[in-house]
Amino acid sequence: MLEAELAQYLMAGEKVLWKGRPVQGVILTREDFFIVPFMLFWCSFFISDLKEVLTGPDLLSGKFFMLLPFVAAGLYGLIIRFFVDAWDRRRLYYAVTNQRILIVRQAPFAKFLTISLSGLPEMSFQQRASGKGTIIFGESGWRWRNDENSNFSSPPRFVGIDQVATVFKLIQSGASQLASQPRSDFRKS
């Protein structure tokens, strides 16, 4: 399946040097140790207000409809976002070729992203003791789920891949090989 997903995106003469998928399932990150307690407080505050409205005489009052978005946002931040992230990562495929980096997301919401090895931005990686980790292509600032964000946000990344240090070195090696090749200039003088 992985080869079939990636094959349609390869250019003539392009060879796959590495292919993989992100870690599957629900992931907790360092940021979650701060976000989850905050979301618990958030939910308890708005759910207690919602409980008062539901048990009171003014069930269909404006306060009920005013509280619903806050409760929904709290539940999303506390629980739902982990399952959305896991669902999204199940549809991601990664590849490093002799010319490019490919990130493919299957339908629904299919998307294809490519980064040329010759114009590779700054890269960094985060590695766990297990050898799994995330490669970030470009500058990385703090985000909602900074080290395990599988979405096509900026900067792009390979999320939770096996042998992250080996893949990182492979990308650097491929970029340096492309940089050392003579460029052909098709312009006429």
Side-chain angles (χ1 to χ4, degrees), residues 17 96-101 116-121 123 167-183:
L17 305 175
V96 176
T97 72
N98 58 336
Q99 299 174 23
R100 304 179 294 163
I101 292 170
S116 171
L117 288 180
S118 62
L120 198 61
M123 289 188 333
V167 176
F168 187 83
K169 287 176 188 172
L170 176 71
I171 294 168
Q172 286 183 316
S173 169
S176 66
Q177 284 178 0
L178 277 178
S180 66
Q181 289 179 356
R183 293 182 150 214

Side-chain angles (χ1 to χ4, degrees), residues 156-168:
R157 56 195 74 215
F158 284 174
V159 177
I161 59 171
D162 289 324
Q163 301 175 342
V164 68
T166 304
V167 176
F168 187 83

Side-chain angles (χ1 to χ4, degrees), residues 62-75:
K63 189 173 182 181
F64 173 76
F65 295 106
M66 217 166 67
L67 287 173
L68 280 180
F70 293 102
V71 171
L75 291 176

Side-chain angles (χ1 to χ4, degrees), residues 26-27 51 67 79-80 106-108 119 123 129 135-136 154 170 184-185:
V26 174
I27 298 174
K51 182 180 171 188
L67 287 173
I79 300 168
I80 299 168
Q106 291 179 312
M123 289 188 333
I135 299 175
I136 302 167
S154 179
L170 176 71
S184 56
D185 192 356

